[in-house]
Each structure stands twice: as structure tokens, then as C-alpha cells.
């Protein structure tokens, strides 16, 4: 490549690592891209590769389908010299396609620096920090680094000067390096706080700091639902003098990645929006905090749902409006006189969020309220008839009426709700003599999965004609996802999450239906032009 570049008339110039732009730098750049090909090939040339039986095609699954080295009881082997999955040709194509999409205009500088020691004077900061103890970045990076160093050490001698990836200063909560879990937490929290304290001193006040985070809350304690990772990061941010003014969900997580297939994995990263907290910010107590959360979260939740935030992301996104209230105070005093911790604040925010979702049940019809209560305890599994009858009396519903409505089956002393996949495909709410929000939402979930947006849109339009409120139906979809997640019902959770996250598209597809079932239809060419 160097000879070709020189023959084309380019001056040799400095090497790429020294900032050159001539023939030598050009040859180094091409060699670097080829090093990327080798690095990518190593991900598909290991005894930890497995076989992915995807619906679209059967392919070789790379080692890092998730951010870990997995245990593989058997492995799949690709042919690097063929033209199929795992081959050199496929790797070259992937790297070249990436290069084609990279903007090739202007001049930019990318610098590797220690976040804890660099300056932030007049900087605009947007960062995707380590996720507490979720991923051991440096340990996993060694898998690729050893091959990159073999391929490119002569090209990037300074960048690849160490034998392995540096690890001691890595800001992750690794208990093996810091004397256990408590030592790891202290190391991470103090390091994180130092970084944001430095940023607080020098960051540009005209722009907010944005912090990307995609780590799902996963712990339940006596205080409520929370997360050590979230609490640690938020604590460090708040103590550094920042207030969290918002959280913006951003669709950054690829739906086909291994961790999201058949699970309720986050669909988004959460972007924390930070501003410096005023020096004269007031203090408050726990009761006033909860009162303020109850007054602000309902509107915030409605805004998030209207903006298309998926049900799986709602609890994470609602942290923003809640933490805006909490972090706006210098301190929040607990009943025992101590300062409320971020752990406790998160538990309070989640408790109020649950209240907000539950309070919306008052807008629902009696049949739907019964179905919700039954689903919360039993899901789509069978339960005792006596329990169902008692619940029906309390909800002003009737088991026989629910059976005739087609939402449950009853017999042999057992009752169970009919799951969406078992519902009839020809349902029309306009001809249903006992229509309920529950029944329509389950049919919408079935239609979306079976026929896509068009089928779900037609069904929503018919439900509106019958007089059902589309916003109530949307709220019910979110509520059902929340109950499915709490009950560990992954399959139905995936279904309801898809319905909630697709609601804006379903709403757009829900054009008014003017013809009843069985009636004559006609093609309106004028109407077609509108779409």
C-alpha cells in the first residue's frame, strides 16, 4: 500500500500515530482496517462459538453474543476460507461496510485519556460510563487486544505498548481487585464522584451534561424496588453538586441481540440530564418529598408514554422526573433525622410509580378490573372457582358473564383467563355484546403479533367506533406489562411490551372503519391519495 501511495504521487510524510496524512499514514490506515478484520475474525474462530438457530437463517454465533465469556458444552466451527458465516470474506465485508458509512469530511481528534485526571474546562460532556459491576471491560478486552497487538504493534507502537489491557485504574466495581463487594463499591463510588466533581468545576454551564445508562433495576428489598448500580451512580452524581433534571430514553439497544431474544431486556439507554445544583438549594423532609412525587409523577408518566417510551423502559425513564425532585434539594431528612439515601429515594419513586399505574384502574370497566386482579395472582394459569367468585363479587363482575364474554373458561371447579394466542382471529368489538378493555387489549396484542400494525390498527379503529377510549387501552397495555414483569411472566411480558411500544404506530394505522362486518366495500381513490 505504501508503494502504491507513493507511486500515486503522495508524499511519504509522518506515520498515522504521529498525525500524518501522507502515503505512510495512508498505508497505516489500510493496515489498521485489516487489523480490525483479524480482530473480528477472532470472535468467530474460537472453541466458544455456538450455533444460532435463528428464524431467519442458521448462522455461527460469535463468542461475545453478550459481554461475557460463556460456557459452551459444544462448539460450532466456521470455514474462514469459504463465503459463509464465520469466513474471512464476511469479516472484510462487515468492516468495509462500516468504513463506507463513516463521514470522511473534516478533521477530528480522538484522544484516550483518564477521566479522573483530565481537565474539563469549558467542555460539553456526554458520557457512557461503566455500569458498576455489570461488565468487566478490561478483562474481556484482552481477548481482542492480544490479536490486535500482534497485527498492529508496528503501526501503533504507543497505543499497543502494554502486553495486556491496563486494569488497575479501571472504574468498575470488581470485588476481586478491591477486597470484596464493599471495597469494590467504595472504589467505584469514590472514583465516579471524583470524575463528576472535576466536571462540575470546569464544565460549560450553557449546556447540560448527558450520561448514558442502560442497566435495568433488578433488586427488591424491604424498602422496595431499587438497584445497587443505579443507586451508586446517582449518589455520586448528586454528591458532586449536580441535579438530575430529566431522563431521556434513547433507542440504542439492538432488538436482535442475544440478551433481548425472548426476554424483557431494555430497549433503550437512559440518558441522564444533569445541571449544576444551585448553591442555595433548600432542604426538605421525606413527607414533603413523597407529596411532591405524587403531584408530579402522573403527568410525567403520561408524557413518557405519549412519547412512545416502551413499557419495559418506563420504570427506568420515570427515575428522571423523580430524581429531579430529590436531587433539587441539598438534603432530604428521613423521619429518624438522618439524610435519605438515594436507595430509599429510588424505592419511593418506584412506589409512587406503582401507585400511578394502579390509580388508573379506576377508569376501567368491572370486567377488566376483575381480569387484572386475577391476572396479577394467577396469570393465565388456572385457579380455584371459589376464589374467582369471591373476587367477582368484590369487583361487581360475574364469572358466568366473563365466560360468555370469551375472556375466561370455567369448569371442574377451576377458572383460567384465555391467553392472547388462544383468542379467535375474527374478533370485532363492534359486534361484541359484552365488550371490555381487557378483551380488546388482549386481541390487540394477538393481532399485532399475528398480522402486524395494519391488523392491530383496524382493531383499534373498530374499538374506538364502539366507544372505547384509546388512551385507556394504551394505559392498560402498560399496566399489563408491569404485572407480567412483577410475576415473572416473560412470554406475556414480551407481548404486552411490544403492544405498548408500538402504540404510536398502531394509532397511526387506526384509520376510521366505516363498514360493518359483512357489509359491501368500495375503493375510494380520493381517500387513497391522502395516504
Amino acid at each position: 500500500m505504501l508503494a502504491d501511495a507513493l507511486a500515486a504521487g503522495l508524499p511519504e510524510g509522518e506515520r498515522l500515530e504521529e498525525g500524518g496524512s501522507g502515503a505512510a499514514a495512508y498505508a497505516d490506515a489500510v493496515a489498521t482496517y485489516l487489523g480490525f478484520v483479524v480482530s473480528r475474525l477472532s470472535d468467530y474462530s474460537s472453541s466458544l462459538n455456538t450455533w444460532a438457530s435463528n428464524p431467519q437463517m442458521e448462522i455461527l454465533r460469535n463468542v461475545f453474543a453478550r459481554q461475557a465469556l460463556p460456557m459452551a458444552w459444544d462448539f460450532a466451527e466456521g470455514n474462514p476460507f469459504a463465503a459463509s458465516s464465520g469466513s474471512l470474506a464476511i469479516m472484510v465485508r462487515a468492516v468495509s461496510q462500516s468504513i463506507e458509512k463513516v463521514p470522511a469530511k473534516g478533521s477530528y481528534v480522538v484522544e484516550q485519556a483518564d477521566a479522573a485526571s483530565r481537565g474539563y474546562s469549558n467542555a460539553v460532556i456526554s458520557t457512557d460510563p461503566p455500569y458498576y459491576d455489570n461488565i468487566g471491560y478490561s478483562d474481556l478486552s484482552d481477548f481482542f487486544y492480544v490479536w490486535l497487538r500482534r497485527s498492529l504493534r508496528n503501526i501503533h507502537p504507543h497505543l499497543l505498548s502494554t502486553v495486556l489491557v491496563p486494569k488497575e485504574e479501571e472504574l468498575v466495581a470488581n470485588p476481586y481487585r478491591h477486597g470484596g463487594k464493599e471495597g469494590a463499591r467504595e472504589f467505584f463510588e469514590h472514583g465516579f464522584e471524583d470524575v463528576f466533581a472535576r466536571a462540575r468545576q470546569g464544565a460549560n454551564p450553557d449546556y447540560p451534561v448527558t450520561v448514558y445508562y442502560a442497566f435495568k433495576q433488578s433488586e427488591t428489598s424491604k424498602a422496595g424496588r431499587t438497584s445497587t448500580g443505579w443507586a451508586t451512580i446517582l449518589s455520586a452524581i448528586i454528591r458532586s453538586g449536580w441535579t438530575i433534571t430529566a431522563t431521556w430514553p434513547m433507542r440504542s439497544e439492538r432488538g436482535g441481540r442475544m440478551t433481548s431474544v425472548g426476554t424483557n431486556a431494555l430497549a433503550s439507554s437512559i440518558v441522564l440530564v444533569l445541571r449544576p445544583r444551585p448553591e442555595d438549594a433548600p432542604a426538605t423532609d421525606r413527607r414533603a418529598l413523597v407529596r411532591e412525587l405524587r403531584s408530579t409523577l402522573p403527568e410525567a408518566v403520561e408524557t413518557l408514554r405519549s412519547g412512545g417510551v416502551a413499557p419495559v423502559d418506563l420504570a427506568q425513564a420515570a427515575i428522571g422526573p423523580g430524581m429531579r425532585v430529590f436531587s433539587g434539594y441539598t438534603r432530604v431528612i428521613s423521619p429518624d433525622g438522618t439524610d435519605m439515601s438515594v436507595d430509599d429515594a429510588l424505592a419511593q419513586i418506584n412506589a409512587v410509580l406503582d401507585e400511578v399505574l394502579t390509580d388508573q384502574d379506576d377508569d376501567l370497566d368491572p370486567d377488566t378490573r376483575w381480569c387484572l386482579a386475577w391476572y396479577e395472582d394467577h396469570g393465565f394459569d388456572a385457579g380455584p372457582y371459589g376464589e374467582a367468585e369471591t373476587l367477582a363479587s368484590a369487583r361487581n363482575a360475574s364469572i358466568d358473564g366473563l365466560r360468555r364474554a370469551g375472556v375466561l373458561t370455567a369448569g371442574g371447579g377451576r377458572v383460567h383467563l384465555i391467553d392472547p394466542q388462544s383468542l379467535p382471529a375474527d374478533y370485532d368489538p363492534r359486534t361484541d355484546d359484552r365488550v371490555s378493555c381487557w378483551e380488546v387489549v388482549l386481541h390487540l396484542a394477538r393481532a399485532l403479533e399475528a398480522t402486524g400494525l395494519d391488523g392491530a390498527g383496524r382493531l383499534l379503529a373498530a374499538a374506538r367506533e364502539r366507544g372505547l377510549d384509546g388512551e385507556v387501552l394504551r394505559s392498560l397495555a402498560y399496566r399489563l406489562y408491569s404485572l407480567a414483569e412483577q410475576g415473572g411472566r416473560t412470554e406475556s411480558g414480551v407481548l404486552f411490551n411490544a403492544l405498548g411500544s408500538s402504540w404510536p404506530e398502531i394509532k397511526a394505522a387506526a384509520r376510521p372503519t366505516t363498514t360493518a362486518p359483512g357489509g359491501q366495500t368500495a375503493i375510494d381513490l380520493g381517500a387513497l391519495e391522502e395516504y
Side-chain angles (χ1 to χ4, degrees), residues 68-125:
L69 286 170
M71 292 181 66
W73 303 111
D74 198 1
F75 69 92
E77 187 174 6
N79 182 352
F81 304 109
S84 58
S85 176
S87 68
L88 181 63
I90 297 293
M91 305 305 136
V92 171
R93 186 176 68 188
V95 173
S96 62
Q97 286 175 344
S98 299
I99 296 170
E100 288 174 355
K101 296 182 182 299
V102 173
K105 297 179 181 179
S107 178
Y108 308 95
V109 176
V110 178
E111 180 185 356
Q112 184 180 26
D114 181 6
S117 60
R118 63 152 294 157
Y120 295 93
S121 177
N122 205 35
V124 177
I125 302 172

Side-chain angles (χ1 to χ4, degrees), residues 453-531:
L453 292 172
D454 287 341
R458 288 192 295 270
L459 188 56
L460 178 58
R464 286 173 175 171
E465 287 186 39
R466 181 62 195 270
L468 275 71
D469 187 336
E471 297 309 304
V472 172
L473 298 175
R474 183 196 63 180
S475 296
L476 179 57
Y478 279 78
R479 177 89 167 102
L480 282 168
Y481 169 78
S482 178
L483 292 177
E485 184 185 38
Q486 292 170 21
R489 303 179 182 105
T490 301
E491 185 176 354
S492 54
V494 169
L495 202 63
F496 296 133
N497 180 59
L499 178 61
S501 58
S502 302
W503 198 264
E505 291 82 6
I506 296 172
K507 187 176 178 181
R511 304 176 188 124
T513 303
T514 57
T515 306
Q520 185 175 357
T521 61
I523 298 176
D524 185 348
L525 297 178
L528 288 176
E529 290 180 359
E530 297 179 11
Y531 304 106

Side-chain angles (χ1 to χ4, degrees), residues 41-73:
L41 186 62
S42 68
D43 198 20
Y44 287 85
S45 305
S46 166
S47 59
L48 294 178
N49 291 122
T50 54
W51 192 246
S53 299
N54 296 331
Q56 302 91 342
M57 65 181 76
E58 293 188 347
I59 57 174
L60 194 68
R61 179 182 288 127
N62 60 321
V63 174
F64 289 96
R66 55 166 59 98
Q67 293 95 346
L69 286 170
M71 292 181 66
W73 303 111

Side-chain angles (χ1 to χ4, degrees), residues 171-296:
L171 191 55
V172 294
N174 190 325
Y176 303 106
R177 293 184 202 150
H178 304 290
K181 287 187 176 181
E182 189 57 35
R185 174 170 179 151
E186 290 180 6
F187 172 81
F188 182 87
E189 195 164 339
H190 292 160
F192 208 91
E193 186 173 344
D194 288 345
V195 170
F196 278 87
R198 290 178 67 87
R200 175 74 168 79
Q201 295 169 3
N204 191 326
D206 296 330
Y207 300 95
V209 171
T210 52
V211 181
Y212 291 74
Y213 200 67
F215 189 57
K216 195 173 183 180
Q217 297 185 76
S218 58
E219 299 165 21
T220 303
S221 65
K222 292 181 179 179
R225 190 169 71 251
T226 182
S227 162
T228 301
W230 267 113
T232 303
I233 283 182
L234 293 172
S235 296
I237 288 173
I238 292 169
R239 283 200 306 271
S240 302
W242 298 93
T243 181
I244 298 157
T245 60
T247 48
W248 302 332
M250 178 176 289
R251 287 298 176 90
S252 62
E253 308 304 303
R254 186 169 61 88
R257 70 197 194 281
M258 186 175 178
T259 54
S260 71
V261 176
T263 68
N264 293 321
L266 289 179
S268 309
S269 288
I270 304 302
V271 183
L272 304 176
V273 185
L274 315 181
R275 295 272 188 182
R277 185 171 56 250
E279 299 293 342
D280 58 350
T284 190
D285 59 21
R286 179 183 178 277
R287 179 177 295 180
L289 175 74
V290 173
R291 185 165 58 245
E292 192 171 351
L293 288 173
R294 285 173 174 157
S295 68
T296 58

